[in-house]
């Protein structure tokens, strides 16, 4: 059973930075996708950034150039470095993972991921 635990959220002023971490355990997929999603009350959970096991990353247009997804396979940890944060980045951020057998980038569709963490809150004030 895959377990994902997020950390690193908090409150920051507009223009600031935060780095989220997601510690993963319980899976041995050689081909997988992991990703960061976010959700605000009343809205659908949206994909922010995803990464394949071989490092191929994909970003939502709203965060391109500001956020960077990365992974440390030795530590089984996924990261999201968030720079130049904006108030509209305020949300609960979730880590997700699943096996992947495709040839393109990982999906940003939440329904294609079966393993989820509990989330970490990010609040950006203006």
């Amino acid at each position: 059973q895959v377990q994902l635990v997020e950390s690193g959220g908090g409150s920051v002023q507009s223009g600031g930075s935060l780095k989220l971490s997601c510690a993963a355990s319980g899976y041995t997929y050689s081909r997988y996708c992991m990703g960061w999603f976010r959700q605000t009350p009343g809205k659908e959970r949206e994909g922010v950034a995803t990464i394949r096991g071989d490092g191929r990353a994909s970003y939502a247009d709203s965060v391109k150039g500001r956020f960077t997804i990365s992974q440390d396979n030795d530590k089984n940890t996924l990261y999201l470095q968030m720079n130049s944060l904006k108030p509209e980045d305020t949300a609960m951020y979730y880590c997700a993972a699943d096996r992947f057998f495709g040839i393109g980038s990982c999906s940003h569709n939440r329904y294609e991921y079966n393993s989820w963490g509990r989330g970490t809150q990010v609040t950006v004030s203006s």
Side-chain angles (χ1 to χ4, degrees):
Q1 183 177 355
V2 179
Q3 293 187 327
L4 303 171
V5 180
E6 304 94 335
S7 61
S11 296
V12 64
Q13 288 191 327
S14 182
S17 298
L18 282 174
K19 186 173 185 177
L20 306 183
S21 299
C22 172
S25 62
Y27 75 95
T28 57
Y29 309 147
S30 59
R31 300 180 66 186
Y32 61 86
C33 283
M34 293 191 75
W36 289 98
F37 291 73
R38 66 186 181 188
Q39 189 171 20
T40 54
K43 291 190 175 181
E44 283 287 320
R45 191 171 298 186
E46 63 173 358
V48 174
T50 61
I51 190 167
R52 289 184 349 186
D54 63 2
R56 179 171 178 170
S58 175
Y59 297 92
D61 288 342
S62 59
V63 306
K64 280 181 181 177
R66 300 188 298 123
F67 291 11
T68 302
I69 189 171
S70 63
Q71 57 190 349
D72 184 331
N73 291 329
D74 290 338
K75 295 182 179 179
N76 291 331
T77 302
L78 181 72
Y79 302 101
L80 185 68
Q81 177 67 48
M82 305 186 294
N83 299 328
S84 303
L85 282 161
K86 305 175 181 179
E88 51 263 44
D89 294 318
T90 295
M92 184 70 80
Y93 283 71
Y94 298 90
C95 175
D98 211 327
R99 290 176 291 179
F100 177 71
F101 299 105
I103 59 174
S105 297
C106 294
S107 172
H108 285 220
N109 184 340
R110 61 169 291 189
Y111 296 105
E112 297 190 21
Y113 292 81
N114 289 314
S115 297
W116 293 88
R118 293 191 172 188
T120 185
Q121 177 68 37
V122 171
T123 302
V124 184
S125 58
S126 57

